[in-house]
Amino acid sequence: MQPIILASQSPRRRELLGLYGIPFVVDPSQADEEHVQGTGAQRVQKLAQLKCAEVAARHPGRMVLAADTLVCVDDEILGKPKDEQDASRMLHLLSGRAHEVHTGVCLRLPDGRQLCGVDTTRVFFLPLSEQNIRRYIATGEPMDKAGAYGIQGRAGIFVSHIEGSPSNVIGLPLGLLTHFLTQAGVDFFET
């Protein structure tokens, strides 16, 4: 089996994909993501497809995997914070309440067929003190993460519970991806 092309530079996605034990190489997407519209769930699906198509054009006949993750609270979409003030605003919005994390996944098969879908997880945050928000931002951890937090890092202490896939919140829903890889005929225990 030729290595899968992972259209992401996310270290978290690389780590999660590595759990399958299948060969992959990284070629991050350069797709223009600015004009994608819709709800959070609609956007992540469109963005995953856009990224996948952009990378697949450079690798015809190869299997390409792309994903995109967004955090939504009420009807507001929280991407990566622009600066520390934006991170603080996002963490205040998440404090003491539930929000949704949507990840769109697109797996393009060598024959051009695509397997695409969205996974959604509800995450429940404990109330956050101003001091804890400031200290967390000072770690630098929230600055490259949708919603200004990483559940797999220090922000895990802010989460009371989740409903859904933990790996989805990290950026790659393993249940959905396992379903797609199985449909594609990938035997991840035989590689």
Side-chain angles (χ1 to χ4, degrees), residues 26-47:
V26 174
D27 185 4
S29 169
Q30 306 301 318
D32 178 12
E33 304 176 26
E34 294 300 314
H35 303 293
V36 175
Q37 300 294 315
T39 66
Q42 291 167 338
R43 282 188 191 190
V44 294
Q45 178 147 354
K46 290 175 187 176
L47 287 167

Side-chain angles (χ1 to χ4, degrees), residues 6 8 13 16 21 48 55 76 79 83-85 88 101 107 118 124-126 131 151 153-155 166 173 178 184 188:
L6 177 61
S8 173
R13 289 192 182 115
L16 289 168
V55 172
E76 185 174 351
D83 53 29
E84 290 183 359
Q85 183 177 354
S88 177
V101 177
L107 180 65
V118 175
F124 296 78
F125 261 38
L126 298 166
Q131 180 181 26
I151 195 171
R154 290 184 178 187
T178 298
F188 22 91

Side-chain angles (χ1 to χ4, degrees), residues 69-90:
T69 302
L70 288 173
V71 173
C72 297
V73 61
D74 298 328
D75 290 326
E76 185 174 351
I77 296 170
L78 305 180
K80 294 177 183 177
K82 293 177 266 199
D83 53 29
E84 290 183 359
Q85 183 177 354
D86 195 31
S88 177
R89 178 189 69 80
M90 290 182 190

Side-chain angles (χ1 to χ4, degrees), residues 50-128:
L50 182 68
K51 290 176 179 182
C52 195
E54 193 271 332
V55 172
R58 294 196 299 267
H59 301 278
R62 297 284 297 276
M63 192 175 295
V64 177
L65 173 64
D68 195 80
T69 302
L70 288 173
V71 173
C72 297
V73 61
D74 298 328
D75 290 326
E76 185 174 351
I77 296 170
L78 305 180
K80 294 177 183 177
K82 293 177 266 199
D83 53 29
E84 290 183 359
Q85 183 177 354
D86 195 31
S88 177
R89 178 189 69 80
M90 290 182 190
L91 291 166
H92 277 95
L93 277 173
L94 302 176
S95 177
R97 58 191 302 206
H99 62 275
E100 288 75 39
V101 177
H102 305 288
T103 301
V105 176
C106 186
L107 180 65
R108 186 180 178 99
L109 305 182
D111 65 8
R113 288 181 297 133
Q114 292 188 131
L115 303 171
C116 300
V118 175
D119 199 351
T120 298
T121 302
R122 285 182 55 82
V123 180
F124 296 78
F125 261 38
L126 298 166
L128 305 179

